[in-house]
Amino acid sequence: MENKKVEIPVWAFEFHGHKCPAMPIGYRAGLTAMKQLGVEKASNKELYLFCENGPAHAAACFLDGVMAATGCTYGKGIAEKLNYGKNAIVLVDLKTKKAVRVSMRPEFFEKALNSEFVKLRKQKVEPKDIKPELVMPLIENVQQLDENVLFTVSEVFEKDVQLPKGTFEWHNCSVCNEIVFDNQSKIIDGKRVCIPCSEKQLTK
Ligand SMILES: [Zn+2]
Ligand SMILES: [Zn+2]
């Protein structure tokens, strides 16, 4: 079987900040999920991402790759972290309400976690301080492996995600004067306040 090398754009590495294998794995997970759903990268809010990564663990860089591939970013409000401590995603097509789950195969993940790269990370060597001779072959490997070696891909299933309604309404906080959007402001004694100012007032 011919394995075509999947390009990981340079900007994705620049956005991520260093070269590591987990970000490219995430990038490929995003591509795999989009292919299964038959969708393109989200330019607006066409897709929604649930990422099962936790707050701090090996290979958590995965999420940056998923965001780069799918366009599901925190800034656009279409990404959510579930904190399960797993390298898996659920990608939802908001138009058709179809979803797919893509997870790293335990066999492949185990090999990655036993790599020299992760051993060095365990010894607190930062990714940018790990020699390119060691990192680049791992990235090449991720680019070349068949997606079925990397991932388990679910059947397409139904999933309804309701995005919160966006607001253009804003107020000046009556305490700090900073602008706060309507849906995140509070009214205390008839006055608009932002959340931090409301908390300060309560602890007074
Ligand atoms: Zn990384
Ligand atoms: Zn305030």
Side-chain angles (χ1 to χ4, degrees):
M1 192 166 47
E2 183 202 349
N3 280 342
K4 255 177 64 195
K5 189 170 154 182
V6 177
E7 282 310 317
I8 314 288
V10 174
W11 69 261
F13 287 103
E14 286 170 356
F15 164 71
H16 184 54
H18 63 230
K19 288 200 164 121
C20 70
M23 187 283 281
I25 296 170
Y27 193 89
R28 289 212 53 189
L31 292 185
T32 300
M34 292 192 306
K35 193 175 87 182
Q36 178 78 335
L37 287 175
V39 295
E40 302 275 308
K41 177 178 176 175
S43 45
N44 302 313
K45 299 187 180 191
E46 297 88 347
L47 307 173
Y48 195 90
L49 168 70
F50 294 96
C51 184
E52 299 186 12
N53 269 190
H57 55 72
C61 292
F62 175 87
L63 174 53
D64 277 354
V66 178
M67 289 201 295
T70 60
C72 291
T73 62
Y74 275 85
K76 285 193 274 183
I78 51 172
E80 188 176 330
K81 223 170 154 179
L82 296 178
N83 287 317
Y84 294 165
K86 298 174 79 170
N87 275 22
I89 57 168
V90 171
L91 189 69
V92 186
D93 179 350
L94 294 174
K95 205 168 104 196
T96 60
K97 302 182 181 1
K98 302 275 184 216
V100 65
R101 184 173 184 270
V102 174
S103 58
M104 270 179 80
R105 275 196 185 276
E107 302 80 7
F108 173 72
F109 206 170
E110 215 178 299
K111 261 188 227 159
L113 290 171
N114 285 320
S115 70
E116 205 55 41
F117 182 87
V118 176
K119 276 180 199 151
L120 288 167
R121 293 285 297 113
K122 236 174 163 173
Q123 294 161 22
K124 301 205 180 340
V125 182
E126 293 297 337
K128 71 169 174 46
D129 300 324
I130 298 177
K131 281 194 275 217
E133 301 92 276
L134 209 147
V135 184
M136 293 320 286
L138 297 175
I139 294 174
E140 289 262 325
N141 190 39
V142 170
Q143 289 178 279
Q144 279 164 2
L145 284 175
D146 190 274
E147 63 186 19
N148 296 310
V149 175
L150 295 169
F151 309 117
T152 304
V153 183
S154 78
E155 294 291 319
V156 172
F157 58 94
E158 302 276 328
K159 192 165 177 69
D160 194 7
V161 177
Q162 295 295 332
L163 293 186
K165 205 173 159 287
T167 183
F168 289 91
E169 297 296 318
W170 53 272
H171 313 273
N172 291 85
C173 169
S174 62
V175 180
C176 68
N177 196 43
E178 289 180 357
I179 288 175
V180 56
F181 286 97
D182 195 51
N183 50 8
Q184 297 301 107
S185 68
K186 296 189 174 186
I187 299 174
I188 296 180
D189 298 333
K191 286 178 180 163
R192 283 281 176 179
V193 283
C194 71
I195 292 170
C197 287
S198 78
E199 283 166 358
K200 271 180 226 153
Q201 291 210 327
L202 289 173
T203 54
K204 248 188 209 163

